[in-house]
Amino acid sequence: MPAAENPLDNPAPTNKTQNGVQSLEVGLSILDVLIDHNEPMMLKDIAQAMQMHPAKCHRYLVSLIRKDYARKLDDGRYGLGDRVNALGALGAMGHTGFHPNNILERLTYIANDIKNSTNCAVQIAKWFNEGPIIIQSVEPDSAISIITRIGSRMPLTTSATGQLFASYQPDATIKPLVITEWQTSEEAVIAEKWQHFSQLQTKIRTQGYATVTGDMLVGINAITIPVILPQLDSSAEMFIDGQPSVENLPLEYAITIIGTTEQLPMGTKNNVVERIMAIAQRYQIA
């Protein structure tokens, strides 16, 4: 009788597109919200950031608390647990010298510098699976302030934030999202709109920023710049012809400056964009 075949001798071929555990991904997304916000949050704010019912969001938070990845404060807010802080400390002791939890703190410092230079509102957005979401806002010291609430998801087609992120993500990711925003199923209309949108993507990548003038609110302008963080993987290709290759870097964060037409003029004779880009370059994020 032939010996029984050991399945370990002939392992089944692996599928590169294996299915994951959706509930785990949702839980980690909630953890991402807490990490990016960098300070304790109320349940309703976490749920809003996740576009999720608070009761469902609470169940995920309970599991994160049980595993010590989150904690509930006496005032009812939720923050990061000791496990996350321990992982952050290990990362800080590595060769990168960069603490993951300090990303938002650093970007907020830069946003305040831009606010002081332009006297405009500044907001920070992060890319999630469903699109860009505002994770931090800085208001100017003026009577006029236009700010988007933290946790708001920005449209890809009409906001400077959305247009910028849409220009630095794969078309396979972006196209279904923008088609949903267009609210049409006519193939001819979709094809025409996508052609125009692709031209806009090329323009944004070429100039390195996105702008809108009254597209969401009449009389309100916005400029969004990408935040290019250093790659932690030294083997990653970051340069082409001696220059940073933005196209090869994953865009996770962006900074948007919002103001009235007087605060943030878009005429060809002003240098507001140059001033903003100069600040970003000084902090080595652009």
Side-chain angles (χ1 to χ4, degrees):
M1 178 180 294
E5 182 178 354
N6 187 345
L8 296 179
D9 293 336
N10 296 289
T14 58
N15 187 348
K16 292 184 179 180
T17 58
Q18 294 179 355
N19 293 327
V21 180
Q22 186 176 10
S23 60
L24 176 60
E25 294 173 359
V26 173
L28 291 175
S29 295
I30 292 176
L31 185 59
D32 280 341
V33 171
L34 290 173
I35 291 173
D36 291 329
H37 192 68
N38 205 33
E39 62 182 25
M41 301 175 66
M42 296 300 294
L43 172 61
K44 62 182 180 64
D45 296 324
I46 301 171
Q48 185 177 32
M50 289 294 300
Q51 301 285 304
M52 181 185 294
H53 192 280
K56 182 178 180 181
C57 186
H58 178 261
R59 292 197 294 270
Y60 282 100
L61 285 166
V62 169
S63 295
L64 290 172
I65 291 171
R66 286 175 180 169
K67 300 302 293 182
D68 207 16
Y69 284 96
R71 61 192 175 97
K72 187 175 183 180
L73 282 65
D74 293 339
D75 61 5
R77 294 181 299 164
Y78 293 86
L80 296 174
D82 291 336
R83 295 283 292 178
V84 175
N85 295 328
L87 290 171
L90 288 173
M93 291 186 293
H95 294 293
T96 64
F98 190 76
H99 197 300
N101 290 351
N102 285 339
I103 294 177
L104 184 58
E105 181 180 346
R106 179 187 177 196
L107 294 182
T108 302
Y109 184 88
I110 297 170
N112 273 288
D113 196 347
I114 295 175
K115 178 207 71 173
N116 294 334
S117 176
T118 62
N119 199 32
C120 292
V122 183
Q123 60 190 28
I124 302 168
K126 185 180 187 298
W127 177 262
F128 291 87
N129 289 338
E130 64 271 25
I133 292 177
I134 304 303
I135 61 172
Q136 184 64 289
S137 296
V138 178
E139 297 192 44
D141 302 321
S142 65
I144 301 176
S145 176
I146 309 98
I147 205 71
T148 305
R149 205 165 78 173
I150 293 175
S152 298
R153 182 172 60 184
M154 303 304 293
L156 295 175
T157 56
T158 57
S159 71
T161 302
Q163 290 178 4
L164 184 95
F165 273 107
S167 301
Y168 291 95
Q169 300 291 339
D171 285 349
T173 299
I174 294 301
K175 194 169 185 178
L177 297 176
V178 297
I179 290 176
T180 300
E181 290 187 16
W182 289 332
Q183 296 183 341
T184 180
S185 58
E186 297 184 25
E187 294 186 4
V189 174
I190 291 174
E192 182 180 1
K193 283 180 172 289
W194 181 251
Q195 182 180 4
H196 291 306
F197 195 74
S198 296
Q199 293 171 354
L200 176 63
Q201 289 175 306
T202 301
K203 177 184 176 182
I204 291 171
R205 285 193 293 266
T206 300
Q207 65 188 15
Y209 59 88
T211 64
V212 296
T213 54
D215 289 32
M216 291 189 67
L217 291 172
V218 177
I220 302 302
N221 296 341
I223 301 173
T224 302
I225 61 174
V227 174
I228 308 302
L229 297 172
Q231 284 279 3
L232 299 183
D233 182 4
S234 59
S235 65
E237 182 181 358
M238 294 181 61
F239 299 92
I240 291 180
D241 296 332
Q243 297 296 324
S245 173
V246 176
E247 291 83 354
N248 288 343
L249 298 178
L251 183 62
E252 291 188 78
Y253 299 90
I255 295 177
T256 300
I257 302 88
I258 309 168
T260 64
T261 53
E262 291 78 18
Q263 292 174 315
L264 201 60
M266 295 292 184
T268 56
K269 294 183 179 180
N270 77 82
N271 62 349
V272 63
V273 175
E274 287 77 5
R275 280 165 41 214
I276 293 170
M277 295 301 291
I279 294 173
Q281 290 168 1
R282 187 166 73 244
Y283 289 103
Q284 299 181 343
I285 62 167

